[in-house]
């Protein structure tokens, strides 16, 4: 069959690609920082725990979730968990002044934030979660339909705001 007559391939999501990588490389190192190395399987378990927590809190696909964490393995766990829950992550640099972090969360319509001690945004009404560091016991990601057309992230740039 030529490339011209092949049926359209099934579109994949970032979660689909990640899950395939976990199957292929489960025991291999996936991410590391100065204190921690996580295998694909360990990172996936942490991400699935984040996804479960978000779904338990009532979040649904395309809800926006801030990630206000210092650089390290927890950022990967948070972002993957948010995507596994079908939500879109909002990158919030914990080094920004509190007022800037709060403004970004408010303007992005975030309903939750994954954060840590020392990076507690003050926006009221947000669900606050942390990345579990012990072995999560929840099992596979919650059954959420994640589609390729779903939003994956909200990023702020330094450019002027236009409408």
């Amino acid at each position: 069959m030529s490339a011209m007559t092949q049926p359209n391939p099934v579109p994949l999501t970032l979660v689909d690609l990640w899950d395939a990588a976990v199957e292929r490389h489960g025991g291999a190192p996936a991410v590391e920082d100065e204190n921690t190395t996580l295998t694909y399987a360990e990172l996936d378990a942490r991400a699935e725990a984040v996804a479960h927590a978000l779904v338990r809190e009532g979040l649904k696909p395309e809800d926006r979730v801030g990630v206000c964490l210092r650089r390290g393995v927890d950022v990967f766990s948070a972002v993957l968990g948010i995507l596994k829950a079908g939500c879109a992550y909002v990158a919030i640099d914990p080094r920004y002044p509190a007022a800037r972090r709060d403004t970004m969360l408010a303007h992005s319509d975030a309903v939750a934030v994954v954060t840590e001690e020392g990076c507690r945004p003050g926006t009221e009404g947000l669900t606050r979660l942390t990345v579990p560091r012990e072995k999560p016991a929840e099992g596979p990601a919650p059954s959420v339909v994640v589609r390729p057309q779903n939003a994956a992230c909200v990023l702020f740039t330094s450019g002027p705001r236009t409408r």
Side-chain angles (χ1 to χ4, degrees), residues 49-60 63 65 85 87 111-113 125-130 138 142:
V50 171
H52 277 285
L54 293 169
V55 170
R56 247 192 332 272
E57 290 293 333
L59 275 74
K60 51 197 176 320
D63 277 347
V65 180
C87 299
V111 295
V113 62
L126 287 180
T127 298
R128 287 179 172 78
L129 303 164
T130 58
E138 305 235 28

Side-chain angles (χ1 to χ4, degrees), residues 2-3 8 10 19 24 28-29 37 41 49 64 86-87 103 111 113 121 155 157:
S2 75
N8 290 334
V10 176
D19 289 344
R24 284 191 314 274
T37 300
R64 290 155 184 173
C87 299
T103 298
V111 295
V113 62
L155 300 174
T157 65

Side-chain angles (χ1 to χ4, degrees), residues 3-157:
M4 298 285 282
T5 60
Q6 288 182 351
N8 290 334
V10 176
L12 297 175
T13 66
L14 292 171
V15 172
D16 294 329
L17 296 171
W18 170 254
D19 289 344
V22 172
E23 283 183 35
R24 284 191 314 274
H25 310 292
V31 295
E32 67 178 49
D33 60 26
E34 59 278 351
N35 301 315
T36 308
T37 300
L38 296 178
T39 66
Y40 281 81
E42 291 167 333
L43 176 56
D44 194 55
R46 286 187 183 191
E48 288 175 351
V50 171
H52 277 285
L54 293 169
V55 170
R56 247 192 332 272
E57 290 293 333
L59 275 74
K60 51 197 176 320
E62 295 199 349
D63 277 347
R64 290 155 184 173
V65 180
V67 176
C68 187
L69 298 167
R70 291 181 293 262
R71 291 179 189 232
V73 299
D74 286 349
V75 172
F76 293 94
S77 303
V79 170
L80 281 168
I82 290 165
L83 295 175
K84 283 177 173 273
C87 299
Y89 76 92
V90 181
I92 307 291
D93 191 328
R95 297 172 298 181
Y96 286 162
R100 174 71 175 141
R101 294 189 310 248
D102 293 348
T103 298
M104 291 171 74
L105 288 165
H107 285 190
S108 69
D109 294 326
V111 295
V113 62
V114 180
T115 189
E116 62 194 356
E117 240 5 91
C119 181
R120 297 275 184 202
T123 304
E124 294 301 316
L126 287 180
T127 298
R128 287 179 172 78
L129 303 164
T130 58
V131 174
R133 297 225 167 99
E134 67 284 343
K135 183 174 169 83
E138 305 235 28
S143 65
V144 173
V145 177
V146 179
R147 295 187 169 86
Q149 64 268 26
N150 289 140
C153 67
V154 175
L155 300 174
F156 286 82
T157 65

